[in-house]
Amino acid sequence: MRFDIKCMLLIAVSLCLYTPSVFAQHTVSRVEGSNRYEVAVNTAKRGWQEAPAVVLVGGDAYADALSAVPYAYQQGAPVLLTNAGSLSGAVKTGLQQLKTKRVTILGGTASISEKVVKQLKALNLSVSRIQGKNRYELAANVAKHMKSASAAVVVNGSAYADAVAIAPYAAKQGYPILLTDAKGLREETANLLKNKAVKRTIVIGGEASINKTAFQKLPSPVRISGANRYEVAAQIAKTYPMKTSQTFMSHGYAYADAAAAASIAAKQGQTLLLTDAQTVPDAIRKVIGAKQMSAFSVVGGTSTIQSNVITQLKNAVLGETIFIDPGHGAQDAGAVGNGLLEKNINLEVALKLRSRLHQAGALIVMSRTSDTFDSLQTRVSKGAQASADIFISIHANANDNSGANGTETYYDTTYAAAHSVKLAQQVQPRMVSALGTKDRGVKTAGFYVIKYSRMPSILLETGFVTSPIDASILKSTAAKDRLASGIATGVSNYFDVK
Ligand SMILES: [Zn+2]
């Protein structure tokens, strides 16, 4: 801001220190294993002390694994996977540990061979098999073994990943998961729906997966779709809510792990969401933020879900929408001094902050991302439109006296003052230590953007471009990197303690 000091001295008030007392960091646990078979066994052991009944599917029979979840739920059974040719070692040990007595195999001998059956019988287990001549018939046959239900889930048999997130809900409701293909409604599925007198169907996937003709043939269909599987999963979580006290997360492309995750999520009545290997997708962040989820169980090893995802899940900023407003722009240069234009510093810091906060798990909306200009009113309304959780306006300072220097954070008392001051108290000391500037403290002032933004909002004065000391710091890319990291840490901590 230009000419800030004079008017601000009149209204600036020093505030007592806010001391964070309660830390409410997200909690995250992980169920892993050296391969998909072990992941499924370890997941089952997490949910079942003993499992007299187990449902076993082939390790590569992903579509079968999905249909297995509601059936297994009715049997009180976890879903385990095995190699087709030979019983996987992890499963053999797992069956013994779970004191299993009965195993139901889903799929033909191509997905689980007769050799596996022999191996199971050698363990004194009673073994039965449900099969079909293809995945569509298998899903229908599995449904025949379930209690009748008023509704069913229908999904494309080759795009079943879209439906993973609904499996816990379907299981809980007793809805079978049936398959069809892109060409139309499969006969196997149509017959089952008729024979079981199913009255409603939940269709997962867009028209490319289940076309209009197939859709119209279904009883009272409702369609859930999205641009990708993460959007679909988020949509499912919103439309068919499950508990969120311990949300399960599995990899969007590791179907085997997802079946195990769906199986335990169903048992515990919890939401299942999908993630990328390296980062929590934005659509998933949104639903996490909207539902205020803070405890997660990740199903999958470090090769499928990397440690960065765990770090994001632990961060209380995950799913929060942060509005970043780089002050000034275009014809409005803001403060000028020592060869610096404030608008450029503001934008540089804002872009660095955006990348760090997004990396941390937040959703970011900015008033500008290049050298453009918005009125103060527009900035405020953009923040409101974004339903931002917090508003951060980034500025640099100026003064006629080149001796004036240092970093300060402003908030306004009109709206959300209690939270704004907490946010300011988290950010201010981290800016100072990142830049090594003089600490001018946290102050109040009725600057337009923080006065009229209704969410917790702060305005940062990073340093004085008119001060030779501050200007040399603000010219340094390394200093601006540290500054952005410091602000991001302050923001994360704010969500931890708020
Ligand atoms: Zn400014």
Side-chain angles (χ1 to χ4, degrees):
M1 295 244 158
R2 244 184 298 205
F3 317 123
D4 289 359
I5 290 300
K6 286 163 238 158
C7 52
M8 251 149 18
L9 281 174
L10 302 170
I11 42 175
V13 177
S14 267
L15 282 147
C16 55
L17 267 176
Y18 166 72
T19 317
S21 50
V22 186
F23 276 83
Q25 222 196 17
H26 290 186
T27 60
V28 185
S29 65
R30 187 202 278 272
V31 188
E32 48 195 328
S34 52
N35 54 47
R36 60 184 61 179
Y37 311 111
E38 208 175 285
V39 169
V41 166
N42 290 340
T43 307
K45 277 161 47 183
R46 176 78 66 98
W48 284 260
Q49 278 195 326
E50 290 184 12
V54 159
V55 171
L56 194 60
V57 296
D60 299 314
Y62 307 128
D64 301 353
L66 184 60
S67 303
V69 175
Y71 170 75
Y73 179 82
Q74 284 195 353
Q75 305 294 315
V79 176
L80 298 184
L81 314 155
T82 181
N83 257 320
S86 179
L87 187 65
S88 306
V91 180
K92 185 179 172 183
T93 313
L95 290 170
Q96 287 163 339
Q97 289 167 334
L98 290 164
K99 299 191 167 56
T100 302
K101 296 188 169 58
R102 303 183 307 281
V103 173
T104 307
I105 291 172
L106 302 190
T109 51
S111 46
I112 296 182
S113 66
E114 279 304 309
K115 185 187 168 190
V116 172
V117 174
K118 273 189 199 135
Q119 289 174 309
L120 290 168
K121 285 181 173 162
L123 296 170
N124 283 323
L125 297 167
S126 88
V127 184
S128 59
R129 189 194 283 273
I130 302 175
Q131 54 188 324
K133 57 179 187 290
N134 53 46
R135 61 182 63 179
Y136 310 99
E137 192 182 85
L138 174 63
N141 288 344
V142 169
K144 278 182 198 160
H145 285 79
M146 291 175 60
K147 292 175 202 141
S148 286
S150 59
V153 173
V154 180
V155 57
N156 185 306
S158 306
Y160 35 80
D162 282 357
V164 164
I166 205 172
Y169 176 82
K172 202 88 193 149
Q173 302 294 319
Y175 301 165
I177 298 178
L178 303 168
L179 308 176
T180 189
D181 60 29
K183 284 181 238 154
L185 185 59
R186 295 280 307 202
E187 201 189 342
E188 299 89 339
T189 297
N191 289 340
L192 187 281
L193 290 169
K194 200 191 292 172
N195 295 340
K196 283 267 188 180
V198 172
K199 291 181 183 63
R200 291 181 299 116
T201 42
I202 301 169
V203 174
I204 307 294
E207 286 179 7
S209 297
I210 296 180
N211 66 28
K212 265 187 193 157
T213 321
F215 185 82
Q216 282 158 1
K217 284 183 188 162
L218 292 166
S220 304
V222 173
R223 191 192 287 276
I224 302 279
S225 61
N228 54 52
R229 61 194 58 190
Y230 305 111
E231 280 189 15
V232 174
Q235 197 60 38
I236 289 167
K238 269 184 246 166
T239 315
Y240 303 106
M242 301 281 284
K243 283 192 278 182
T244 54
S245 50
Q246 187 69 41
T247 299
F248 285 87
M249 305 283 300
S250 78
H251 189 280
Y253 291 82
Y255 317 113
D257 294 350
S263 171
I264 189 171
K267 182 168 196 281
Q268 300 185 351
Q270 298 285 349
T271 303
L272 170 62
L273 295 176
L274 305 177
T275 181
D276 259 345
Q278 290 165 6
T279 188
V280 178
D282 280 6
I284 299 299
R285 294 179 186 198
K286 257 179 212 155
V287 74
I288 286 172
K291 291 187 169 273
Q292 299 284 299
M293 299 174 184
S294 63
F296 303 93
S297 289
V298 171
V299 177
T302 47
S303 61
T304 45
I305 298 180
Q306 294 172 13
S307 61
N308 187 52
V309 169
I310 307 290
T311 306
Q312 290 177 339
L313 291 173
K314 281 183 181 164
N315 196 327
V317 84
L318 178 70
E320 302 290 345
T321 300
I322 317 293
F323 190 85
I324 304 174
D325 170 42
H328 313 280
Q331 72 276 13
D332 173 11
V336 178
N338 292 298
L340 290 171
L341 298 182
E342 184 198 345
K343 65 172 185 175
N344 295 338
I345 298 167
N346 297 345
L347 182 59
E348 260 185 275
V349 173
L351 291 172
K352 288 176 190 293
L353 178 61
R354 170 176 75 173
S355 115
R356 279 161 183 76
L357 281 172
H358 190 264
Q359 167 61 26
L363 295 152
I364 315 298
V365 182
M366 295 182 68
S367 58
R368 66 181 178 103
T369 55
S370 59
D371 189 20
T372 56
F373 178 79
D374 274 336
S375 70
L376 299 177
Q377 289 87 340
T378 301
R379 293 167 199 257
V380 168
S381 66
K382 279 183 177 177
Q385 241 164 40
S387 302
D389 293 295
I390 62 170
F391 186 110
I392 302 174
S393 193
I394 298 174
H395 287 259
N397 225 330
N399 194 274
D400 294 341
N401 171 10
S402 66
N405 68 323
T407 300
E408 56 201 16
T409 302
Y410 287 91
Y411 74 98
D412 178 75
T413 53
T414 310
Y415 299 114
H419 280 104
S420 295
V421 67
K422 287 181 189 178
L423 178 58
Q425 297 283 6
Q426 289 293 341
V427 169
Q428 169 66 13
R430 288 176 177 84
M431 287 206 293
V432 169
S433 70
L435 295 173
T437 43
K438 179 178 161 192
D439 186 356
R440 300 173 67 95
V442 168
K443 303 171 176 180
T444 57
F447 295 129
Y448 191 95
V449 292
I450 56 173
K451 180 169 184 180
Y452 292 99
S453 292
R454 293 183 175 240
M455 67 290 290
S457 42
I458 53 174
L459 187 148
L460 314 179
E461 293 285 8
T462 52
F464 283 72
V465 296
T466 45
S467 149
I469 300 167
D470 286 6
S472 76
I473 295 169
L474 293 172
K475 279 175 188 167
S476 151
T477 302
K480 281 176 282 202
D481 282 330
R482 289 196 307 271
L483 175 62
S485 296
I487 299 168
T489 304
V491 168
S492 289
N493 284 356
Y494 161 76
F495 284 103
D496 254 350
V497 300
K498 87 179 170 79

